[in-house]
């Protein structure tokens, strides 16, 4: 059984799918681990570190991909400089485990099915107690929530905490966090540790207690529709509910020094939570950090991947924020994918059991077919 760790060719990707400590554990289990030359360099893990852990370093990426029984990645397969797709390098019957964005880019599932690859998407790991150790979305979102507050603190021309000095008292910064999922809750905790006064909003009433337990005030809107989707994520709401929500949050946005937005809907454009009118009403020097920038942004003024100043307000639209902390991001992701692999490998042999609810939910393609109905629906929508 050969497990291969590919070097990420995505420009902004610094993470690696396995770290040396995890490699050593897999080798002790009698598994062969192949690591592409330089795979861990951007995350500060050297080829020598992997060799010391028992991995074989492979310099030819084509060889590594073609030999792998299980190929591990972080970002979805890309097109290489020579014009070939990484998918075409996988041998039929092999397994690919990676973030795949199958709902946002369902064509990738079609290509993997044609290649006869069994693909498991880390985005589709169910939110259950048993699957917690495999939940890469949550582990990476926690990192993003932490880092977003640091970005805001660096951009804000004020202190975060209240300070009493000989020159007078400095009032604490007011932070408004929109979305109380994993990223939002970590952002709340980090902002509170830095001494800010924090308010948080979410369309799901059930998160109120979690928000308050972290020392933030919960801003609640009563909506006459279901707001929770499968797995506990926020559900896309009607236009009428969006309007009511915007009316409620407008005053909180106006009075805040920092606004952090985290609302995303898998496979769809991010909902607009902060309109141009709201930004215009904010104080000059205020900051917005939009964690949904990759999906178009929760702020109408966000430019993905850029820091801009709009009407005196700094708007930050980070892309792939977890990758900016590649050491711990890789450590957590490696634990996630390894936990998933334990369900697939029995007695050093690959055994894919679709009776297992985690394997069944995460598997996008197998045996030349797309297995996931949501991905099928997304592909059909694109075709139309």
């Amino acid at each position: 059984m050969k497990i291969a760790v590919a070097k990420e060719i995505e420009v902004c990707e610094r993470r690696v799918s396995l770290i040396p400590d995890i490699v050593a554990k897999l080798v002790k289990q009698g598994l062969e681990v192949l690591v592409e030359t330089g795979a861990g360099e951007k995350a500060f893990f050297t080829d020598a570190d992997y060799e010391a852990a028992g991995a074989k370093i492979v310099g030819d990426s084509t060889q590594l991909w073609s030999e792998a029984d299980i190929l591990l990645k972080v970002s979805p397969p890309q097109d290489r400089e020579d014009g070939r797709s990484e998918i075409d390098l996988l041998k039929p019957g092999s397994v690919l485990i990676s973030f795949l964005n199958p709902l946002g880019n369902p064509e990738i599932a079609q290509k993997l099915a044609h290649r006869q690859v069994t693909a498991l998407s880390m985005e589709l790991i169910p939110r259950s107690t048993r699957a917690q150790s495999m939940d890469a979305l949550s582990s990476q979102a926690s990192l993003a929530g932490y880092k977003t507050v640091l970005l805001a603190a660096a951009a804000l021309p004020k202190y975060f905490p209240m300070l009493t000095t000989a020159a007078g008292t400095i009032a604490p910064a007011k932070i408004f966090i929109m979305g109380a999922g994993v990223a939002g809750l970590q952002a709340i905790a980090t902002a509170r540790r830095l001494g800010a006064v924090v308010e948080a909003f979410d369309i799901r009433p059930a998160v109120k207690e979690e928000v308050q337990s972290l020392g933030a005030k919960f801003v609640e809107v009563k909506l006459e529709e279901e707001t929770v989707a499968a797995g506990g994520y926020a559900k896309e709401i009607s236009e009428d509910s969006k309007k009511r929500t915007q009316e409620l949050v407008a005053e909180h946005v106006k009075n805040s020094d920092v606004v952090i937005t985290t609302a995303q809907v898998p496979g769809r454009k991010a909902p607009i939570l902060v309109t141009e009118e709201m930004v215009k009403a904010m104080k000059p020097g205020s900051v917005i950090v939009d964690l949904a920038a990759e999906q178009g942004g929760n702020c109408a003024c966000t430019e993905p991947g850029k820091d801009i100043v709009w009407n005196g307000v700094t708007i930050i639209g980070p892309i792939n924020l977890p990758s900016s902390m590649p050491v711990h991001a890789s450590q957590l992701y490696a634990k996630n994918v390894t936990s998933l692999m334990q369900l697939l490998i029995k007695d050093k042999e690959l055994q894919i059991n679709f009776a297992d609810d985690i394997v069944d939910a995460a598997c996008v393609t197998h045996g030349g077919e797309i297995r996931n109905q949501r991905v099928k629906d997304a592909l059909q929508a694109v075709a139309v």
Side-chain angles (χ1 to χ4, degrees):
M1 173 67 66
K2 293 182 179 181
I3 299 169
V5 178
K7 181 178 181 179
E8 304 293 332
I9 60 175
E10 176 72 30
V11 175
C12 65
E13 186 56 74
R14 297 173 61 194
R15 293 170 291 183
V16 63
S17 55
L18 281 186
I19 65 171
D21 285 350
I22 299 292
V23 168
K25 294 176 182 178
L26 293 173
V27 171
K28 285 182 180 178
Q29 294 174 18
L31 301 171
E32 185 177 355
V33 181
L34 311 178
V35 177
E36 187 174 348
T37 299
E41 281 183 353
K42 292 181 180 179
F44 306 99
F45 301 109
T46 67
D47 289 349
D49 294 331
Y50 285 105
E51 284 188 303
K56 176 184 176 182
I57 304 300
V58 179
D60 184 343
S61 62
T62 300
Q63 176 189 347
L64 178 113
W65 283 70
S66 63
E67 289 186 4
D69 296 305
I70 299 179
L71 193 290
L72 303 179
K73 283 189 93 275
V74 180
S75 61
Q78 310 288 318
D79 290 331
R80 305 197 314 173
E81 290 183 357
D82 61 9
R84 297 182 65 189
S85 168
E86 288 183 322
I87 292 175
D88 294 334
L89 303 181
L90 288 162
K91 69 179 181 182
S94 63
V95 174
L96 171 67
I97 301 177
S98 178
F99 282 123
L100 295 173
N101 188 25
L103 299 177
N105 180 22
E107 292 94 339
I108 197 170
Q110 191 171 50
K111 293 176 182 177
L112 288 163
H114 287 164
R115 189 63 182 171
Q116 299 286 324
V117 171
T118 297
L120 287 90
S121 175
M122 296 305 291
E123 294 97 331
L124 299 182
I125 295 292
R127 295 192 78 186
S128 63
T129 301
R130 180 167 165 262
Q132 279 184 337
S133 63
M134 310 166 206
D135 188 357
L137 278 182
S138 291
S139 72
Q140 303 303 298
S142 180
L143 290 155
Y146 167 80
K147 189 61 177 285
T148 192
V149 176
L150 301 188
L151 293 178
L156 186 69
K158 297 181 177 181
Y159 274 121
F160 259 42
M162 182 179 76
L163 294 175
T164 301
T165 74
T169 299
I170 302 295
K174 295 180 179 178
I175 316 298
F176 185 43
I177 296 171
M178 305 181 74
V182 175
L185 291 172
Q186 184 60 254
I188 292 169
T190 304
R192 290 289 296 137
R193 283 194 292 267
L194 290 177
V197 172
V198 183
E199 293 182 325
F201 165 79
D202 197 292
I203 60 173
R204 300 166 298 168
V207 301
K208 179 178 181 179
E209 187 176 332
E210 292 178 87
V211 168
Q212 292 176 330
S213 71
L214 294 171
K217 177 184 176 182
F218 185 66
V219 176
E220 189 171 5
V221 58
K222 305 250 184 221
L223 299 177
E224 296 175 357
E225 64 177 280
E226 182 59 56
T227 59
V228 182
Y233 293 101
K235 182 181 180 181
E236 187 170 22
I237 55 178
S238 66
E239 290 302 318
D240 181 62
S241 292
K242 288 178 184 178
K243 183 178 178 181
R244 290 177 58 191
T245 297
Q246 288 179 348
E247 290 172 352
L248 172 72
V249 304
E251 195 66 21
H252 296 274
V253 170
K254 176 183 176 181
N255 295 326
S256 297
D257 297 302
V258 171
V259 175
I260 294 172
T261 64
T262 69
Q264 301 182 55
V265 180
R268 299 192 182 184
K269 192 176 186 298
I272 296 296
L273 304 180
V274 180
T275 63
E276 287 188 7
E277 289 72 22
M278 292 183 194
V279 179
K280 287 178 182 178
M282 295 178 73
K283 300 182 291 289
S286 300
V287 176
I288 297 173
V289 185
D290 192 341
L291 277 187
E294 282 185 83
Q295 288 190 341
N298 296 140
C299 175
C301 306
T302 296
E303 295 187 22
K306 296 182 179 180
D307 297 358
I308 66 170
V309 177
W310 197 92
N311 202 47
V313 176
T314 298
I315 303 173
I316 302 172
I319 298 294
N320 195 4
L321 203 48
S323 184
S324 68
M325 294 182 289
V327 174
H328 284 148
S330 299
Q331 177 183 328
L332 294 173
Y333 184 78
K335 173 62 176 176
N336 296 145
V337 296
T338 304
S339 296
L340 178 58
M341 278 198 298
Q342 301 304 319
L343 300 180
L344 307 176
I345 301 173
K346 305 295 181 185
D347 299 322
K348 304 179 189 178
E349 295 293 330
L350 186 62
Q351 297 180 27
I352 299 178
N353 177 19
F354 292 120
D356 187 296
D357 63 308
I358 298 174
V359 175
D360 184 55
C363 187
V364 178
T365 62
H366 178 73
E369 297 180 348
I370 298 175
R371 296 190 73 260
N372 187 284
Q373 187 58 49
R374 294 167 66 198
V375 178
K376 288 181 182 178
D377 294 342
L379 185 61
Q380 187 174 13
V382 170
V384 173

